[in-house]
Amino acid sequence: MTQRTGPTPPPEEVKSCCAAAYSSDAATAILGGHYHPGGTALTRRLADRLALRAGERVLDVAAGPGTTAFLLADEYGASVDGVDLGAATVAKARASAEATGTCDSVRFHLGDAERLPFDDAGFDVLVCECAFCTFPDKATAAREFARVPRPGGRVGITDITLQPERLDGRLRGLTGWIACLADARPVDDYRELLADAGLHARVVERHDGALATMIDQIEARLRAFRIAHVDVGTALELTALARDAVARGDAGYVLLTADKPAP
Amino acid sequence: MNLDSSLLEILACPQCKSPLRADERTEELICTREPCGLAYPVRDDIPVLLVDEARRPGETRHAESAGESPTAER
């Protein structure tokens, strides 16, 4: 496992900060409703790579406002449970399900990825978009990812990749809204974490362009709007650093699927 | 407490992964396994399935200790 260097905020702080940040109005304004690189197009690609079928039970970990969960239910006919650490986020996602009359196919719960509040082997598929990198105890989270799918089930992750030792110190602090970057890892680390938990990697696709595009969009929004509680100068400095990191290949985005072996 | 009955079929105690039961009186979901027995509050119909916010068996509920019951008001 790669050793991180330099000061980083306490892990629990990063996780709860991320959950809180994602539910904030500032995050909504900056991200424009797209909470992960690649947007819904990459979510569809993930579902296709997982060969998701109608009627399958899906757990969406760190479901946020439910974008992924609603898409998988609506377009793939899946029965989706979403779990998120933010109470306000869960309430908002539930309200969306009620407003759209989709409560039967999409449900949202308050819980922690490292201690999932679900029975063993209760799902066909587990997905987690742009959140695994924020979990302080990734090995424990990976074991939970291996526990809740049935034997023969699948796990699909899209996430930020990073060569942590090359990361600029300014990207690490909690002052940047890109706190999620602080504990992102290289692709091989993610694969190793899943393998150690007993999951066999099947698909590994790089989608670094999706991250570059998202950084461009964020920067455009930062320049166009004055957003409450955001120091635009600092934020622009951070987006520039992030863009450099992507260009150098030190930061990127990956789509990864893995299988839970059947007995 | 407004909970879908099918919810309890998929949920489990985040600490020990045992089944949960609903306690209508205390508005909690309670782990059915001894000695775990953690009780998870249900706030705005959302079960708070976080170990850090759970009540241990025998511990007073936060609401009671905060003085919600009439006898606590003086």
Side-chain angles (χ1 to χ4, degrees), chain B residues 21 26 60:
Chain B
R21 68 175 173 83
T26 60
T60 327

Side-chain angles (χ1 to χ4, degrees), chain A:
Chain A
M1 199 79 6
T2 317
Q3 197 65 42
R4 275 179 287 142
T5 53
T8 48
E12 288 302 330
E13 206 178 308
V14 172
K15 189 167 63 170
S16 54
C17 167
C18 263
Y22 278 145
S23 64
S24 75
D25 291 340
T28 307
I30 294 170
L31 298 172
H34 294 290
Y35 286 81
H36 64 83
T40 49
L42 194 59
T43 301
R44 288 187 190 95
R45 190 173 180 94
L46 179 66
D48 292 341
R49 289 292 177 270
L50 288 165
L52 184 61
R53 295 181 294 272
E56 287 198 300
R57 299 156 303 165
V58 177
L59 178 64
D60 182 8
V61 179
T67 313
T68 296
F70 287 120
L71 187 153
L72 298 181
D74 184 40
E75 297 185 16
Y76 291 82
S79 169
V80 187
D81 285 278
V83 60
D84 199 277
L85 190 58
T89 306
V90 173
K92 202 184 278 185
R94 282 190 175 195
S96 300
E98 270 166 37
T100 52
T102 50
C103 294
D104 287 343
S105 54
V106 189
R107 297 153 297 272
F108 294 97
H109 315 281
L110 180 57
D112 188 337
E114 291 163 17
R115 287 175 172 180
L116 288 171
F118 301 99
D119 207 352
D120 295 359
F123 295 92
D124 300 298
V125 170
L126 180 148
V127 297
C128 181
E129 293 213 86
C130 204
F132 192 76
C133 67
T134 68
F135 302 152
D137 187 347
K138 292 181 171 51
T140 300
R143 280 195 294 275
E144 286 291 81
F145 282 22
R147 181 181 65 82
V148 297
R150 62 170 168 80
R154 296 95 77 203
V155 172
I157 292 172
T158 70
D159 218 328
I160 289 170
T161 63
L162 215 59
Q163 302 289 336
E165 73 283 1
R166 299 189 203 154
L167 183 62
D168 188 290
R170 280 168 290 178
L171 283 180
R172 286 203 197 103
L174 266 184
T175 48
W177 59 268
I178 325 178
C180 313
L181 283 181
D183 199 36
R185 307 287 180 84
V187 179
D188 287 345
D189 278 24
Y190 292 138
R191 201 152 52 167
E192 199 179 301
L193 282 158
L194 295 178
D196 288 349
L199 295 167
H200 298 176
R202 178 185 283 274
V203 175
V204 181
E205 288 179 356
R206 294 203 72 116
H207 290 275
D208 296 352
L211 181 57
T213 302
M214 190 179 197
I215 292 167
D216 288 346
Q217 287 166 349
I218 288 166
E219 190 176 290
R221 285 179 165 271
L222 285 169
R223 289 187 191 284
F225 310 116
R226 294 182 69 83
I227 298 166
H229 311 301
V230 174
D231 173 358
V232 174
T234 307
L236 286 174
E237 204 176 298
L238 291 171
T239 53
L241 288 168
R243 184 186 289 108
D244 289 349
V246 176
R248 285 196 308 270
D250 296 343
Y253 206 71
V254 69
L255 181 160
L256 205 154
T257 75
D259 295 340
K260 177 168 176 173

